[in-house]
Amino acid sequence: MRSRTPAGLLTLACVLLAVGCGPRGEPERKFALRDSGIPVHCSTGKDVEFGTIEGGREWFGFVQDPFSRCSFELIVPPASRLSFRLSLAAISHARGASAKVAIHSRVGETNHVLLVREVSPDEAVFEGSVELSAGASTISLWVAASEKKKGSSAFVAWSDLEIWSDSPDEDDGLPWIVGAEKALAPFLETHGNSGAPREQRRRLLIIGFDGASWQLMERLLDEGKMPYLNALRARGRWGVLRSTVVPESAMGWSAIRTGVNPGKSGMYTFYSGVQPRRSFWHFLGDRDLTSIVVAVPTASALHPINGVLIHGWAGADTPRWALPEDIIPPLERAGYDPTLADLKNTRYFLERMQTRTDVSSLLLENMDWDLGFVVFEYTDSVGHRFGLYTREWDEVYRAVDGHLATLLEVVDDQTTVMVISDHGWRYFERSIHLNQWLRSNDFDGWKANLPVSASTVSISRKDVGTAQPPKEPRDSRARALRRIRRGLLELRDPKTGQKVIERVRSPTDVFHGPYSDRAPGRLLVEADEDYRMLTDRSRGKGKGRRRVFGEPGDTHAFEGIYVLAGPGIEAVEGPQASIYDIAPTVLNFFGIPPPVDADGATLMDFGVTDAGAQPPEPLYFSEDASGTAEGGGEVSRELEENLRTLGYIE
């Protein structure tokens, strides 16, 4: 659960009752959780549904399993407390069972232990309240069987969960979350087009599906379960979009928005910090063109934009996660959460997608803009959490298709639409456990390290931190590196007898530019694309982890997607394109030549670029492009945990 802002919350119904006075002599107001529509998520992976619990009387609450945590999120006003009723005996499945319960409140990076208590069956009902700290909070309810009864099953029931506050009135009630339309209304009154007729202009709407591939979606498309993407593809130019040499999200989305490799952008992994390279919307802003950018991974609100930018995958400690900054309170009121969704719960994904679409649609419909860019990471997250072709996977992909339809409804038929993914996803029959190979060949001082994805992984010294560049000159320990390289190039799969490693190169031979010296690792190992690379922390279980070969599984792949549809675009299957082609395509659409060092080319010539126009400058936020990437090597603890849970990092 996130600790910043309530995630995907539904519209809340606040019950304001004057029932006495608080500590300052002001009337207290009550907010019943059962009336709110707030989702309560549990570590068991099940959503909690409030209902009637039978006991000495009818209580309205939920039952919590032993050894679990159930959490909900909301913005807590000052001078507030949580009241509750707890029952154990009425629903215990073991005679004499007892339970230890706790209530925690997490605000930002601070965890507050509000209650720790052992409840026995002798207490038919335990009522109480705890004081809450103000702010965007995660309230967690913990249950464990008592140590005295390890074999028992101590279930508990929470009921009558209510928030009480004597904070002065704000707006039309307590500062709980409201729907996107109401929350954003004040912002749109200030920044919107005020209902004026829309100016006729060239518009490009980009919609990103993280981790999508045509191969993955073929069945859903054929069965008519993704009709809107199918219809868009039928009227546009489409094909495979080849990802970066390491097909993972930080590198992929950075390549999409800059058009250059990590050696020029500084973005190798999520640990690379805020990149110094300008994105294509910054070049548009130089020409007074307006962009609305929502949830593009690693896009930072620390850099200015002409328009609106909402951070993709922000950490809980990122205070400035949207621009202009006066949109942050409305987004919080709308229940928008910019952090990475990592729960194994599709309802949680669906709620967050709905909030993102509601916010994006309102911005696109009520503001003047030239470029819109909205990304949904859930098409990738559902694969990490549930696997391919599961019921949950189908559910999320069908939902994303519906959100595509909603976004298309707010643009006219003169708007050009692009759908892209940063990489694909596939099932691998065979895997290579590189660390096991290093150990078995007496290379104990070396390890597989980030970046790693699909068939590619880097090798570092063991004393080098995650995703960090070497501590020593890259030409040191040359003899050991030569031995590793020779050994890997001779590595054969005992099942087939075939060599499996395609290339072993220095990262500086792969990544070119002023930031090539920031590349992690001493060697970049690229296996045959039918093999998945594993490290010690890669997903997967079983005896195969102790062998160099084995362990089938699914993960990222190189083949992503692109669709380009709009006026003057022929409906045809196009050739395979490079992920580096997207930024030049966007710039060409707006008549801007690509940067002189772009690593890709436009997918088509839109016929609006002046032959004498100059490529955009400057290319970096700093005049000195050889400087160190801002914030390099640091990721918030929360974001790191979420990325690891989803498999984005090791």
Side-chain angles (χ1 to χ4, degrees):
M1 301 291 291
R2 305 285 64 76
S3 58
R4 170 203 302 289
T5 307
L9 306 186
L10 306 176
T11 302
L12 309 186
C14 294
V15 182
L16 305 180
L17 300 175
V19 292
C21 294
R24 297 195 300 268
E26 298 169 348
E28 281 192 305
R29 292 172 299 285
K30 181 179 71 171
F31 167 71
L33 201 65
R34 67 173 181 248
D35 297 325
S36 69
I38 289 180
V40 179
H41 302 295
C42 295
S43 57
T44 56
K46 297 186 297 185
D47 274 341
V48 161
E49 293 187 3
F50 283 85
T52 300
I53 301 172
E54 298 297 333
R57 42 156 281 197
E58 288 192 347
W59 301 326
F60 200 81
F62 64 90
V63 176
Q64 185 172 355
D65 294 338
F67 302 106
S68 69
R69 179 191 70 166
C70 293
S71 303
F72 59 92
E73 298 177 321
L74 73 168
I75 299 177
V76 177
S80 298
R81 58 188 174 90
L82 169 70
S83 66
F84 59 89
R85 188 186 305 266
L86 181 68
S87 170
L88 174 67
I91 58 171
S92 175
H93 287 197
R95 180 173 297 179
S98 61
K100 183 174 289 186
V101 298
I103 302 176
H104 292 189
S105 171
R106 188 172 183 82
V107 183
E109 293 297 311
T110 304
N111 186 61
H112 305 276
V113 180
L114 308 179
L115 172 75
V116 177
R117 181 184 176 95
E118 187 161 322
V119 183
S120 72
D122 299 332
E123 296 180 277
V125 176
F126 166 56
E127 299 181 31
S129 67
V130 292
E131 299 296 323
L132 299 176
S133 298
S137 305
T138 300
I139 312 297
S140 299
L141 311 175
W142 298 80
V143 173
S146 171
E147 294 180 1
K148 300 176 182 179
K149 297 284 183 179
K150 291 185 178 179
S152 64
S153 299
F155 291 76
V156 302
W158 299 90
S159 59
D160 297 346
L161 287 162
E162 297 170 336
I163 306 291
W164 295 79
S165 177
D166 68 339
S167 178
D169 256 341
E170 297 184 25
D171 193 14
D172 54 352
L174 296 178
W176 313 116
I177 303 307
V178 299
E181 185 172 3
K182 182 177 180 181
L184 286 174
F187 175 82
L188 293 173
E189 286 179 7
T190 303
H191 298 274
N193 58 19
S194 304
R198 284 177 175 245
E199 176 189 346
Q200 291 299 314
R201 60 213 292 182
R202 294 179 62 81
R203 285 193 173 93
L204 174 62
L205 174 62
I206 308 173
I207 301 169
F209 293 173
D210 196 301
S213 72
W214 296 121
Q215 181 184 15
L216 280 182
M217 298 183 293
E218 182 177 3
R219 176 180 56 82
L220 295 180
L221 292 167
D222 290 346
E223 294 176 357
K225 294 179 179 178
M226 296 187 74
Y228 301 103
L229 179 60
N230 218 4
L232 190 69
R233 184 174 68 166
R235 66 181 179 89
R237 182 183 180 91
W238 64 278
V240 170
L241 191 67
R242 180 79 177 180
S243 188
T244 48
V245 66
V246 185
E248 59 90 46
S249 296
M251 195 179 292
W253 289 112
S254 176
I256 283 171
R257 57 193 175 89
T258 64
V260 297
N261 78 88
K264 298 172 185 174
S265 71
M267 183 61 70
Y268 291 94
T269 71
F270 286 99
Y271 290 91
S272 295
V274 179
Q275 70 179 30
R277 182 80 180 202
R278 301 175 87 218
S279 300
F280 52 66
W281 53 80
H282 298 117
F283 301 137
L284 269 62
D286 293 341
R287 290 154 176 81
D288 202 29
L289 298 174
T290 303
S291 301
I292 296 175
V293 178
V294 180
V296 178
T298 73
S300 172
L302 295 178
H303 293 142
I305 186 173
N306 183 28
V308 173
L309 184 143
I310 302 174
H311 204 311
W313 304 3
D317 57 353
T318 309
R320 181 177 170 181
W321 52 273
L323 291 174
E325 290 188 66
D326 61 349
I327 198 176
I328 294 178
L331 288 173
E332 290 179 335
R333 291 274 285 161
Y336 188 97
D337 189 337
T339 60
L340 179 62
D342 68 328
L343 289 185
K344 192 172 184 179
N345 189 313
T346 53
R347 180 178 170 185
Y348 182 56
F349 289 177
L350 298 176
E351 288 170 353
R352 288 172 60 117
M353 280 192 283
Q354 187 62 59
T355 302
R356 184 171 301 177
T357 299
D358 291 345
V359 167
S360 301
S361 297
L362 286 165
L363 295 174
L364 294 170
E365 195 168 17
N366 294 282
M367 297 185 69
D368 286 323
W369 55 276
D370 302 281
L371 170 74
F373 193 176
V374 183
V375 173
F376 295 96
E377 72 270 20
Y378 311 95
T379 42
D380 184 66
S381 300
V382 71
H384 284 293
R385 300 301 275 146
F386 295 95
L388 303 184
Y389 308 119
T390 58
R391 176 183 59 81
E392 293 85 358
W393 185 88
D394 277 24
E395 183 180 25
V396 167
Y397 268 75
R398 295 177 69 176
V400 167
D401 189 65
H403 292 296
L404 168 65
T406 300
L407 294 174
L408 293 179
E409 287 176 0
V410 302
V411 299
D412 57 32
D413 57 6
Q414 295 303 302
T415 300
T416 298
V417 178
M418 181 187 294
V419 176
I420 54 176
S421 66
D422 57 330
H423 57 76
W425 197 295
R426 57 167 289 195
Y427 182 81
F428 294 80
E429 293 287 351
R430 301 284 281 168
S431 299
I432 302 172
H433 193 323
L434 189 60
N435 276 325
Q436 183 59 36
W437 181 87
L438 289 168
R439 286 190 289 266
S440 62
N441 285 274
D442 298 324
F443 295 114
D444 294 329
W446 301 84
K447 66 176 179 179
N449 200 356
L450 296 185
V452 57
S453 186
S455 305
T456 310
V457 67
S458 66
I459 293 179
S460 299
R461 291 286 299 169
K462 274 192 174 180
D463 60 350
V464 175
T466 300
Q468 292 296 305
K471 292 182 177 180
E472 56 193 6
R474 291 186 187 268
D475 57 359
S476 62
R477 304 183 190 270
R479 183 178 178 183
L481 291 170
R482 286 195 298 270
R483 289 177 55 219
I484 292 173
R485 182 177 183 276
R486 283 197 303 267
L488 286 172
L489 290 175
E490 291 298 320
L491 181 61
R492 295 177 184 268
D493 186 338
K495 187 174 182 179
T496 65
Q498 300 298 312
K499 293 182 179 181
V500 296
I501 303 299
E502 297 286 343
R503 286 176 295 274
V504 182
R505 298 182 282 177
S506 168
T508 54
D509 292 333
V510 181
F511 307 115
H512 304 279
Y515 289 94
S516 61
D517 62 335
R518 304 298 300 169
R522 300 289 296 279
L523 294 174
L524 193 68
V525 183
E526 300 167 77
D528 182 287
E529 290 189 15
D530 287 334
Y531 289 81
R532 177 179 64 141
M533 279 292 191
L534 295 178
T535 67
D536 285 333
R537 303 185 71 167
S538 298
R539 291 191 307 141
K541 299 178 181 179
K543 293 182 180 179
R545 294 296 299 276
R546 295 193 290 269
R547 298 193 300 266
V548 174
F549 288 92
E551 206 164 337
D554 50 78
T555 191
H556 296 178
F558 293 99
E559 296 80 13
I561 69 170
Y562 74 88
V563 181
L564 191 59
I569 299 175
E570 182 183 6
V572 63
E573 181 177 357
Q576 176 173 289
S578 165
I579 198 169
Y580 298 113
D581 296 339
I582 299 302
T585 302
V586 173
L587 295 174
N588 184 276
F589 178 84
F590 290 104
I592 305 171
V596 293
D597 64 345
D599 291 317
T602 184
L603 292 174
M604 65 175 291
D605 187 352
F606 292 92
V608 296
T609 303
D610 183 351
Q614 295 298 311
E617 290 284 353
L619 302 180
Y620 295 88
F621 289 104
S622 169
E623 292 297 329
D624 179 13
S626 63
T628 301
E630 181 180 351
E634 296 182 1
V635 166
S636 75
R637 182 172 57 186
E638 180 202 45
L639 179 57
E640 181 177 43
E641 177 185 346
N642 296 347
L643 291 167
R644 181 171 291 112
T645 298
L646 289 171
Y648 288 104
I649 63 175
E650 296 301 307

